Amino acid sequence: MSDELSVIGKALPKVDSLGKTTGRARYTEDLVLPEMLFGRLLRTPHPHARIRRIDTGRARALPGVRAVLTGRDLPTKYGILPSSQDETALAEDVVRYVGEPVAAVAADDEETAERALGAIDVEYEPLPAITSIEEALQNRTVRIHDQADGTNIHKAVNLEFGDVAGGFARADHIREDVFFYEGSNHVAMEQHAVLASVEAGGKLTVWSSTQVPLYLHGALQKVLGLPANMVRVIAPPVGGGFGGKSDIFSHEIVAAKLAMVTQRPVKIACSREEVFYLHRGRHPVLMKIRTGFTKEGRITAMHFRSILDGGAYGSYGVASTYYTGVLQPTTYRIPAYKFEGVRVFTNKPPCGPKRGHGTPQPRFALETHLDKAAEDLGLGPEEIRYRNLVRPFSMTVNHLRITSCGLKECMEQVLAASKFREKRGHLGRGKGIGLAVSAYLSGAALPIWWNEDPHSEVEVRIEPSGHVVVSSLASEIGQGSTSMLAFIVAEVLGLEPGEIEVVVADTDRTPTDLGSYSSRVTFMAGNAALSAATKARQVVFDVVAGRLDIPTERLVAKGRRIGDASDPHRGFTWHDAIAAAASGGPITAMGSYKPPKLAGPYKGSGVGPSPAYSFSACVIEATCDTETGFLTADRIWLAHDIGRAINLRAVEGQIEGSICMGLGEALLEQQSFRGGLLKSPSILEQRVPTILEMPEIHTFLVETVDPEGPFGAKEVGQGPLLPVAPALANALYDAVGVRIDEVPMTPDKILRALEEQGRGHERPRVGPRGFPDLPLTKEPLRVPPPAEDTVIPGRVVG
């Protein structure tokens, strides 16, 4: 089928690449409006304190200061999830993390705004702070939120699928390990920024570097008390998100309120330091995994436990908790599975979704754990995985529907290309090779705010001139969604992507879309675009078929022509065809996409289902300097089941970006605190990989052509990150025989493990030594597995 496609699957430039590479693209911070004011936020230096008094008198008296806000001006709580409406734009009574905003100013210039912040007097009563998972579980007196159960537990999950006890009883070998995965920030190139303006009639317009304009629109309505038609949200090009801009942020609401108070535009551009306080990044997670195996290496049962350090507020934390436990069965057949997860509040910046949302942590644990089990059983790392691989078009034990699955092919590609079997154990001390696999969603099957509406709508309008305009609310965050829409519509209409104008991310001008998160846009907005373009093309086909006196089924759109597939000489140019079809006005068609109902028959099943899963396999060849402890990835082979690549070049770029971020988490990035104070809110100190740290990368695409994806496409933006850290950990073990069961795998940890090895320790490792008892007060929710004969749509029979 690829040979029949003109645009899909080709390595073409993104349609918006010229503007971004020449500096013409205008991001939120670039925007300037007449009489614009500058907003700044006063942030608390305390991790936990009661606000006794705020005196804004001196700040208000400064020349050039136009408005000052405190928590009393914005008392309405909000949050991204319906179950986590626990934040206010400015703290009113209690601050819960260093950097939480307590007041805001708008002034004629940034210098005056900064001076005004210094003139605000805040009297605090410091309170004891909770800064670790252990403290959150053990401290019985300090409470970060007034929860009904009197604990600092934000969310607890206890699920059991199938006969777990029986599975362990049948096992010939049981292995148990404990792991820790450190938190990290997204470090998007563009820092958060917002501009708000109020029109003469009172309508509020907000430009924000947001991944979720629809949800921001709803939060502004709620907090500011405005009707829906009086709020407009526009997301200009966003300079990277990775999940970090998919929440509702204080500065967005504050800028809007300041604009309403002053009746002048107000812009707030956050500094890099402030971005670390906004956070919503990777949760630090402590994990314990226990698995039973037959002597042949087949899994009989698994028990996975996780504790998430959630920071001070809920954010996406309920979903994050589930995500640490739900996707393990998407790569391996696990006949019985138990998951216990707990998220705790701490006095640190709130954690949220970062690329892979809650799944890189358990993937690191699972893939490292499997390598250890393989060694116990005398199997190769690849063999234990092959023996347990999930099957295409099957149901997992926790009721997740697997459709197309090229995981086996991904493994075969990287194993062969890297010469894994020949190299493993034979590279000599200091050099090693490791393997890991993963899976990820092509969008969540349920919306954040549950309803029956489409998840994506796309409008295609063909003007009488032949000009084509595609409209979608999906934010372009650098992932290439604008190009994806242009590619799909161009393919259907027989045009070039550059001939398609794409209008995105404007709640007044574009049809609905839930946002650019969970790798959903290609699958969902792509399907909506495919539907809209097909409908618009049919209008043109009907007219052309009449003129040619042939059935519409014989027509093709290709090379800017609409013609008879059986006679290339019969047909019309695009412009002649449109002149005939659109003589009465523009041709307009709307397409929409809503996932099938995929949630399982139990409470909590809304997190994890996806219309399709992508799969990845990764091999890393690495070098460990035993003198310094430095670990270096030398070469990486990564194969990804993409379903079908919409834009080959963009897909390869996403994979390379994921590898870069995965290496950063594996080797460099960590958020260290001193008494609740983030020690290094700077990318000078909290390093991320640069081009100098990037190894040689070999990318392989496995195209399984998913039956429900647009042209068969699935996700690529997040999944390839997941196997990087465990593959590197497994390569380190092959290189020097030590285990680092936590990330980042820094030189000091490796040297400590090597010292253990030097002292003759049988299993030298660095990692958590124990796992606390989970304070789960209820019995697990026991869920029967799906029936063996469950029919999966799209299954290839025979």
Side-chain angles (χ1 to χ4, degrees):
M1 184 175 176
S2 294
D3 294 340
E4 302 170 6
L5 300 173
S6 301
V7 177
I8 301 299
K10 304 297 186 292
L12 299 174
K14 292 181 180 178
V15 296
D16 54 357
S17 57
L18 185 62
K20 291 182 175 177
T21 52
T22 58
R24 293 177 188 167
R26 287 163 61 81
Y27 297 84
T28 301
E29 193 173 354
D30 298 325
L31 304 178
V32 177
L33 291 177
E35 298 189 323
M36 188 176 78
L37 300 173
F38 294 86
R40 297 289 291 156
L41 293 162
L42 179 64
R43 299 179 183 277
T44 181
H46 297 281
H48 197 196
R50 193 176 311 283
I51 300 172
R52 287 298 185 193
R53 179 179 62 86
I54 299 183
D55 184 349
T56 62
R58 289 195 301 132
R60 292 179 191 276
L62 281 176
V65 172
R66 304 300 174 182
V68 181
L69 302 178
T70 67
R72 293 181 180 177
D73 298 301
L74 290 163
T76 303
K77 290 186 175 180
Y78 62 89
I80 188 67
L81 300 186
S83 59
S84 297
Q85 303 289 296
D86 60 357
E87 294 188 64
T88 53
L90 299 169
E92 188 172 2
D93 299 317
V94 175
V95 292
R96 296 179 172 88
Y97 66 93
V98 172
E100 183 167 8
V102 296
V105 302
D108 290 342
D109 54 70
E110 292 174 275
E111 291 76 14
T112 301
E114 282 292 339
R115 284 203 304 277
L117 294 186
I120 297 173
D121 296 318
V122 186
E123 182 183 337
Y124 294 101
E125 176 192 346
L127 300 171
I130 299 290
T131 59
S132 70
I133 288 173
E134 293 74 18
E135 288 178 354
L137 293 175
Q138 295 169 6
N139 194 309
R140 303 292 182 184
T141 57
V142 178
R143 294 290 172 261
I144 297 173
H145 291 275
D146 295 327
Q147 301 199 119
D149 63 358
T151 73
N152 287 309
I153 295 175
H154 172 223
K155 180 65 182 176
V157 179
N158 194 357
L159 296 168
E160 187 169 331
F161 305 92
D163 182 8
V164 174
F168 279 113
R170 290 192 299 275
D172 299 310
H173 175 70
I174 295 174
R175 177 157 190 105
E176 193 169 284
D177 287 296
V178 183
F179 299 91
F180 178 70
Y181 201 103
E182 181 59 274
S184 58
N185 188 261
H186 317 79
V187 195
M189 288 181 67
E190 181 203 21
Q191 295 153 200
H192 297 241
V194 63
L195 170 63
S197 179
V198 179
E199 298 172 7
K203 182 160 185 169
L204 171 70
T205 299
V206 173
W207 294 261
S208 180
S209 51
T210 178
Q211 296 177 237
V212 286
L214 182 70
Y215 292 122
L216 175 57
H217 186 271
L220 290 167
Q221 289 176 57
K222 178 185 177 185
V223 177
L224 302 175
L226 295 172
N229 68 327
M230 295 301 284
V231 179
R232 179 184 182 188
V233 175
I234 301 170
V238 177
F242 312 114
K245 295 167 182 168
S246 58
D247 210 329
I248 311 300
F249 292 97
S250 167
H251 62 274
E252 294 171 316
I253 293 170
V254 166
K257 182 68 174 180
L258 288 170
M260 293 170 66
V261 170
T262 62
Q263 292 295 297
R264 291 173 62 176
V266 176
K267 182 163 72 177
I268 298 177
C270 298
S271 67
R272 178 62 67 182
E273 180 179 358
E274 287 181 296
V275 172
F276 278 98
Y277 298 140
L278 302 173
H279 196 42
R280 322 290 157 149
R282 185 82 73 218
H283 284 76
V285 182
L286 181 64
M287 297 161 283
K288 184 173 185 177
I289 179 170
R290 182 171 185 258
T291 307
F293 301 89
T294 66
K295 59 186 177 183
E296 292 82 20
R298 300 194 191 284
I299 296 172
T300 61
M302 182 178 290
H303 183 186
F304 196 95
R305 281 175 270 189
S306 62
I307 309 177
L308 295 79
D309 181 345
Y313 289 101
S315 183
Y316 282 85
V318 171
S320 309
T321 308
Y322 280 104
Y323 275 129
T324 61
V326 297
L327 294 193
Q328 282 81 324
T330 57
T331 49
Y332 303 113
R333 278 176 285 161
I334 303 173
Y337 181 61
K338 184 174 183 178
F339 168 56
E340 297 170 302
V342 167
R343 184 181 193 259
V344 297
F345 287 122
T346 56
N347 292 115
K348 295 191 288 191
C351 297
K354 184 186 173 187
R355 202 173 195 169
H357 192 182
T359 65
Q361 302 98 321
R363 184 56 55 179
F364 172 74
L366 175 57
E367 294 298 313
T368 311
H369 173 75
L370 273 186
D371 254 41
K372 295 181 182 184
E375 184 177 30
D376 294 345
L377 295 164
L379 299 171
E382 75 284 12
E383 198 55 46
I384 196 168
R385 289 173 172 84
Y386 274 135
R387 293 183 185 189
N388 290 287
L389 283 184
V390 70
R391 294 170 296 189
F393 299 99
S394 62
M395 294 292 292
T396 68
V397 70
N398 57 339
H399 294 264
L400 300 181
R401 186 195 68 163
I402 305 295
T403 56
S404 60
C405 172
L407 184 52
K408 182 180 178 184
E409 292 82 356
C410 288
M411 281 185 59
E412 289 170 348
Q413 292 263 14
V414 295
L415 290 172
S418 65
K419 296 182 169 49
F420 180 86
R421 293 183 179 89
E422 295 91 324
K423 291 179 179 176
R424 187 171 183 277
H426 299 95
L427 291 174
R429 183 162 176 80
K431 291 189 175 293
I433 194 164
L435 167 70
V437 308
S438 67
Y440 197 66
L441 320 171
S442 297
L446 289 166
I448 292 174
W449 292 72
W450 287 19
N451 60 67
E452 295 297 323
D453 295 337
H455 290 211
S456 285
E457 293 177 330
V458 170
E459 181 189 82
V460 171
R461 189 175 76 251
I462 306 174
E463 303 287 354
S465 65
H467 182 60
V468 179
V469 181
V470 179
S471 301
S472 164
L473 187 55
S475 293
E476 169 60 59
I477 59 172
Q479 86 281 41
S481 60
T482 296
S483 296
M484 177 275 297
L485 294 168
F487 274 48
I488 286 178
V489 173
E491 181 68 55
V492 174
L493 300 182
L495 301 173
E496 294 294 322
E499 296 176 286
I500 309 296
E501 179 186 354
V502 184
V503 179
V504 298
D506 182 335
T507 56
D508 266 14
R509 301 284 186 271
T510 55
T512 195
D513 184 87
L514 299 184
S516 296
Y517 62 91
S518 82
S519 280
R520 56 175 298 284
V521 178
T522 292
F523 203 96
M524 300 188 183
N527 265 320
L530 178 59
S531 171
T534 303
K535 291 176 184 175
R537 185 184 63 182
Q538 189 60 44
V539 174
V540 181
F541 274 14
D542 287 343
V543 173
V544 172
R547 298 287 179 95
L548 297 177
D549 194 24
I550 61 174
T552 57
E553 292 76 18
R554 278 176 50 183
L555 290 173
V556 292
K558 203 163 192 172
R560 300 190 184 89
R561 281 181 60 82
I562 309 293
D564 187 345
S566 60
D567 184 354
H569 299 293
R570 299 192 70 211
F572 293 86
T573 66
W574 170 256
H575 288 286
D576 287 344
I578 299 306
S583 59
I587 299 168
T588 303
M590 184 74 80
S592 65
Y593 177 79
K594 182 180 175 184
K597 292 186 181 299
L598 297 170
Y602 61 95
K603 185 179 180 182
S605 65
V607 179
S610 174
Y613 298 90
S614 70
F615 298 88
S616 299
C618 178
V619 168
I620 297 182
E621 191 173 319
T623 298
C624 178
D625 186 325
T626 56
E627 295 295 320
T628 64
F630 275 96
L631 176 62
T632 308
D634 301 322
R635 277 170 287 280
I636 297 183
W637 297 262
L638 197 144
H640 185 72
D641 170 13
I642 181 67
R644 184 193 296 279
I646 299 293
N647 180 345
L648 188 62
R649 185 171 295 167
V651 166
E652 291 176 346
Q654 286 279 18
I655 291 173
E656 291 170 4
S658 288
I659 289 172
C660 179
M661 189 170 278
L663 286 176
E665 295 185 8
L667 294 172
L668 300 171
E669 296 173 53
Q670 57 183 328
Q671 293 200 291
S672 300
F673 292 82
R674 183 184 295 120
L677 175 66
L678 181 60
K679 291 198 289 188
S680 54
S682 158
I683 53 176
L684 288 175
E685 299 153 302
Q686 191 162 147
R687 292 186 58 219
V688 296
T690 69
I691 190 66
L692 297 177
E693 282 82 27
M694 288 300 287
E696 180 181 313
I697 295 174
H698 302 267
T699 300
F700 306 89
L701 299 184
V702 172
E703 296 199 319
T704 49
V705 188
D706 189 82
E708 298 177 23
F711 291 100
K714 300 193 288 189
E715 83 87 35
V716 67
Q718 305 188 63
L721 180 150
L722 275 61
V724 173
L728 190 56
N730 292 334
L732 172 66
Y733 180 72
D734 186 47
V736 293
V738 302
R739 285 287 181 188
I740 307 299
D741 288 339
E742 62 181 53
V743 296
M745 295 176 279
T746 51
D748 60 309
K749 295 174 186 172
I750 293 172
L751 286 177
R752 277 161 46 202
L754 289 171
E755 287 169 6
E756 274 193 9
Q757 187 181 55
R759 292 195 298 269
H761 197 286
E762 187 178 352
R763 294 179 181 272
R765 74 178 281 274
V766 168
R769 294 292 176 184
F771 191 91
D773 292 333
L774 290 179
L776 299 173
T777 56
K778 297 180 181 177
E779 287 293 305
L781 178 61
R782 295 185 172 85
V783 184
E788 286 286 334
D789 58 351
T790 301
V791 176
I792 308 299
R795 172 184 289 182
V796 178
V797 179

